Every structure is written in structure tokens, then in C-alpha cells.
Amino acid sequence: MPLVTTKEMFKKAYEGGYAIGAFNINNLEILQGVVKGAKAKNSPVILQCSTGALKYAGPKYLRAMVEAAAEETGIDIALHLDHGPDLDAVKLAIASGFTSVMFDGSHYDFEENIRKTKEVVEYAHAHGVVVEAELGVLAGVEDDVVAAEHVYTDPDQAVEFVERTGCDSLAIAIGTSHGAFKFPPDYEPQLRFDILEEIQRKLPNFPIVLHGASAVDPETVEMCNKFGGNIANAKGIPVEMLRKAASMAVCKINMDTDLRLAMTAAIRKVFAENPAEFDPRKYLGAGRDAIQKVVEYKIENVLGSANRL
Ligand code: G3H
Ligand code: 13P
Ligand code: ZN
């Protein structure tokens, strides 16, 4: 089963009112946990690697492992570059067999973002690879304050951006945020569905992407802390809000933090309960199982992508 692009996945997801989960992978156990979850739910999946993941594991290892996963499971898998910083990173990913790339020019001004994204689109399309771009800036929590640089995506700019760059999907800022500390403890998370609706109206049938979409399950954080962790004030996006977004124009939902927390909690538990254990298969295997559970939960409760192969 060769790796696929996201083109067909997004078309079906848009029409079906669901989204494809894009899960970050960094090693064998994370990859296996994700694809086992997707296979168990009969769901397509996007496996994505940040530049940090490429540096950690190496593009050749990652590609080979992902190809093995596609062959082993027979499910539709796209291999995606997450937050590509420049054309060089995109070229490396494409040369390494990735079927989809993100160019993240969200920190540039509008014209510069368009210019650089267009360059990436021309290169990627010439190589049969699809491009996700980003417009708007995601919030982050710094010193317990929602970062001032948070900029919601402007729907009119989104239309102009898509038309002028030719990108295949667009990541937008409507209130999500990266990491485990998305909001101050007393802040009620909100997503700007009005912006999403307007973008959907102005760009019909165009796939929208949500980054920073981990839910940060309090029980998982508690489990990390119970077994020796120290993670304070973690907070994520409520599951019902994500499910609503998935039923609209959002076709790809990015989750990494929830996998990290689940794997860490499971490994901490093995270490705490079995201090004599030193077989990596025992604790990494527990981490892998925990990731599989999270992915199955997301497919059922967030994405709606079960039985969509
Ligand atoms: O959005 C970023 C992803 O969670 C990847 O994080 O750069 O630490 O691999 P990373
Ligand atoms: P989370 O940190 O919310 O998991 O978001 C991951 C992400 O957006 C990867 O690009
Ligand atoms: Zn992201």
C-alpha cells in the first residue's frame, strides 16, 4: 500500500463532515501506537513529522517505518512535514518521500507569507506533493497570560491568500494553541466558529486545518503527576468544540501533546510500580498501548473518521 497525499482524504472528509487526525510521530512506538489505533477504527490517518522529529529520528528511518506501517496495515496513510520553516526543509521532506508538506509562513507579513508559500507550492506541485499553508497566529500562554501576538485569521485575507498561493489546505487561527499550557487556569477556552463559518462560506469546499488541537485530558495529567511528574496548569481544547469544527470545513486536526502526555503517564506508571523493571519493551510497550487508546478515542469522539477507509 503506497503512501497517499491528502487530496482524496480531504475531499471525502469535507463531504462526510469529519476530519482526519494528524498525529506527530518521533519514533517507532509512537508511530505504531497511532497506526494501530487507526487500523482498529478502520480510519485513514496523517502521520506528521516536525523538523525536530526529522532531526531526532532521521528522515530515512521515519519514511521507512511509515512505509512499513502502510504495508502492514493496508490503511490510507499520508506522510506530512509539520511546520516546515523554509523551502530547504520542504525539499528535504519531498526528497525523503513525504507526500504532503506544510510551509509555516504565519510569522511573516501577509505579502511575504504569500511570496514564500507560492514558491513552496510551485516546487511541491511539480513533485506531486500537496501543500498546507498557515495564515493567522496561534495564541500561547506566557507567564499565565494569553500571548499578545494572537491574531485570528481574517476571512477576506484567507480567500486572497488561497487564490494567490494555490495552496491545497489552510491552517487558520480561531483560538487553538500549541502545547499543554494553552490557556491560563481560569480562562474558558473558546473557538471563533463565526470566523470558521465565514471562511467556509467564502471558500466553499476548501479544506481547513486546525493546529494546537490537543484536549489535554486532566486525568492523564493527574496520572503523570501521581507517578512522579510535575505538570501544573495544563489546559486544552474541549472535545465537543473540536468535533463541531470537524463537522464543518476543518478536514485535518493536529494533535501531538495528547500523545506525549499519554505515553509519559503510562511509562511513569510502569517505572513507579515496577522499580526493578529495565526492559525497554515493557515501558515503551505500555507507552505505545496508551497512544493507541488515545488515537481510538480521538477517531470516535473528535474526528468522526472511523470506518471511512
Ligand atoms: O506543533 C508542533 C508539534 O507539536 C511538534 O513539536 O517541534 O517539539 O517536534 P516539536
Ligand atoms: P498540540 O500541541 O495541541 O498537540 O498541537 C500539535 C500541533 O499543532 C502540531 O502541528
Ligand atoms: Zn502545529
Side-chain angles (χ1 to χ4, degrees):
M1 185 80 185
L3 302 179
V4 298
T5 76
T6 51
K7 200 115 209 151
E8 197 57 26
M9 279 184 186
F10 288 167
K11 190 173 176 290
K12 285 200 226 163
Y14 200 106
E15 285 163 4
Y18 63 95
I20 312 291
F23 299 99
N24 288 72
I25 58 161
N26 294 276
N27 66 11
L28 178 72
E29 285 76 12
I30 299 173
L31 161 71
Q32 287 181 330
V34 173
V35 294
K36 280 171 150 220
K39 172 78 179 168
K41 291 291 170 188
N42 210 26
S43 167
V45 73
I46 298 168
L47 301 174
Q48 57 186 14
C49 305
S50 66
T51 49
L54 292 173
K55 214 164 154 188
Y56 176 78
K60 288 194 176 72
Y61 284 98
L62 289 164
R63 193 263 293 262
M65 291 193 301
V66 169
E67 278 180 346
E71 194 182 321
E72 181 85 10
T73 59
I75 61 172
D76 287 346
I77 297 178
L79 178 56
H80 174 78
L81 172 68
D82 191 26
H83 292 284
D86 51 36
L87 185 58
D88 282 346
V90 163
K91 285 182 174 173
L92 172 67
I94 291 174
S96 304
F98 283 51
T99 56
S100 170
V101 291
M102 174 192 193
F103 169 66
D104 181 357
S106 57
H107 49 291
Y108 293 114
D109 68 39
F110 186 61
E111 286 300 326
E112 190 67 353
N113 191 0
I114 288 184
R115 194 184 65 72
K116 287 179 184 288
T117 302
K118 198 164 182 280
E119 209 181 354
V120 166
V121 169
E122 277 162 13
Y123 183 86
H125 284 183
H127 291 78
V129 168
V130 289
V131 177
E132 172 186 326
E134 179 160 347
L135 186 64
V137 182
L138 266 59
V141 174
E142 281 165 16
D143 296 333
D144 274 3
V145 175
V146 175
E149 75 267 21
H150 182 123
V151 183
Y152 293 119
T153 307
D154 176 81
D156 289 320
Q157 280 199 340
V159 175
E160 185 181 342
F161 187 91
V162 168
E163 278 170 1
R164 286 176 60 192
T165 62
C167 64
D168 302 280
S169 60
L170 185 68
I172 62 168
I174 56 165
T176 59
S177 165
H178 286 109
F181 312 100
K182 300 187 190 303
F183 311 107
D186 53 355
Y187 182 89
E188 271 311 309
Q190 297 155 26
L191 294 189
R192 289 287 305 271
F193 286 106
D194 57 323
I195 295 179
L196 178 57
E197 263 167 25
E198 205 178 332
I199 291 175
Q200 181 160 12
R201 193 168 50 75
K202 293 185 172 193
L203 281 172
N205 299 315
F206 190 79
I208 298 300
V209 178
L210 277 193
H211 281 246
S214 277
V216 187
D217 172 36
E219 280 178 24
T220 308
V221 174
E222 202 183 299
M223 186 169 154
C224 284
N225 292 341
K226 180 177 165 195
F227 294 113
N230 183 11
I231 303 171
N233 297 331
K235 194 161 187 170
I237 315 287
V239 164
E240 323 76 64
M241 290 187 191
L242 296 165
R243 184 67 198 94
K244 181 173 172 187
S247 73
M248 299 169 68
V250 171
C251 293
K252 172 175 181 270
I253 296 189
N254 286 12
M255 291 162 282
D256 183 8
T257 298
D258 283 343
L259 304 187
R260 295 180 182 201
L261 287 169
M263 184 171 213
T264 302
I267 291 175
R268 279 195 175 283
K269 184 168 188 284
V270 173
F271 284 151
E273 290 177 348
N274 310 280
E277 186 57 72
F278 60 93
D279 180 344
R281 293 169 298 189
K282 294 281 165 38
Y283 52 88
L284 293 176
R288 179 172 65 187
D289 291 347
I291 285 182
Q292 177 177 349
K293 269 200 197 137
V294 170
V295 169
E296 289 185 26
Y297 176 87
K298 299 290 184 186
I299 288 170
E300 287 292 346
N301 299 286
V302 171
L303 302 159
S305 64
N307 301 315
R308 305 284 192 167
L309 277 175

